[in-house]
Amino acid sequence: MSQDIYLTGITTTGTPHIGNYVGAIRPCVTASKDSSVRNFYFLADYHALAKNEDPDKVGQSTLEIAAAWLALGLDTDNATFYRQSDIPEIMELTWVLTSMTAKGLMNRAHSYKAAVAANEEGGNKDPDKGITMALYSYPILMAADILMFKATKVPVGRDQQQHVEMVRDIAQRFNHHYGDVLVLPKAVIGDNTAVLAGLDGRKMSKSYNNAIPLFADEKRLRKLIMKIKTNSLEPGEPKDIEGSTLYDTYKAFATEEETLEIEKRYREGIAWGEMKQVLFEYINDHIKPARDEYERLMADPAIVEQELLKGAKRAREIAVPYMDEIRSAVGIRKLG
Ligand code: TRP
C-alpha cells in the first residue's frame, strides 16, 4: 500500500473566522507538522472567480488567508502550501478533464443545482440567471486540483462530498479511455471536527453575516462576543450547556478540564455577562501570539509571497512531469 496523500483547497473569498479556525485551519496546521503524512494545502484563487468576486477582494482575501495559516504555525517545510494560480498545469489539466466529463454529470452538481433553485425561488424566468460556466463546471477544476497531485484523501465539509465523488467519476472515465493514469481520491468528512455557531446561533458563515473574524482586534473581538445570543435566564439560575453558543465556543478552544469547570459554573448559574467575559479572555489569550504574527505578515506581504512561491516550486516539481505524462496519454505529443 503506498502512502496516503492528503490535499485540500481553500477558496479565497472573505477573511478567516473562528469557525474556519476550529473546523479546518487548526486540524490542518496540526497535520502539517506530522512528518509521516504528505499534505498539500492550496489557496483556490481561480475558484474565487466563479463567484465573480471583485479583483481587489480576491487579492486581499488570498493574502489574509495565507497570512492566517502561516501565523498559526503551518509547517511549510513538511506540508506543501501553494496558490492554485501559480501552477499553470492545473489549468491545462482542467481542459483535458473537461473533455472527459459528461455534461449530464455537471447538471447534477450541488453547487449548480443550488444556484438554479435560488433563481426559481426568486421567481426568475431564466433558471440559469447569473450562473457562469465557471460555477457550472467548477467540479472539473476541483478535479484537476486533486488529480494533479495524485491525492488519495480529500478532507472537505459535507457540502463538498458530492463534488469529490464526481472527481472519482471523471478520473474513472479518463482511465477507462486512456489507461491507468489518474489516481482515484476519497473524500474525508470530518464529522468530529467542531462546527461553530455564529452570533445569531445559526452556523457561523460569512454569508449569514454572523461570523467572528479570527484576527479581529481586542476591542472588536470583545464587542462581537458580547453580541452572542443567549436566553433570558437570570444570574444565579442554573443554565443548560446544550444549545449554548457561548459554551460550545468555549469548548472548541479550551482543554477538557477547563470545559468541565465551566460546566460546573453553568450548573451554579453563572451570569451570561460573566460567561461572555470568560470566553472573551480565553479566546483573546489563545489567539494573541498568532494575531501579532498575522499583523507582522500583513504589514510585509513579501514574506507571504516568498512562502507561496516556495510551495509552488515544490508543487510544480510534481505537476510539470505528471502533466507531460497526461498530455502524452491523450495524444498531445512531440512530433519528432
Ligand atoms: N470547492 C471547495 C470549497 O468551496 C474548495 C476547493 C477547491 C477544494 N478545490 C478543492 C477542496 C480541492 C478540496 C480539494 O470548499
Side-chain angles (χ1 to χ4, degrees), residues 2 15 62 80 82 97 99 114 157 165 188 206 225 238 287 289 307 321 325:
S2 60
T15 194
T62 304
T80 309
Y82 55 98
L97 297 174
S99 315
E165 270 151 27
V188 182
K206 59 178 179 285
I225 288 176
I287 288 297
E307 282 284 354
E325 207 184 302

Side-chain angles (χ1 to χ4, degrees), residues 7-11 42 44 47 51 84 138 141-143 145-146 154-157 159-160 163-164:
L7 175 143
T8 199
I10 319 108
T11 304
F42 70 96
H47 280 277
K51 296 173 188 159
Q84 183 184 39
Y138 105 74
L141 177 53
M142 221 170 131
D145 293 330
I146 294 169
V154 183
V156 282
D159 63 320
Q160 296 295 322
H163 296 147
V164 178

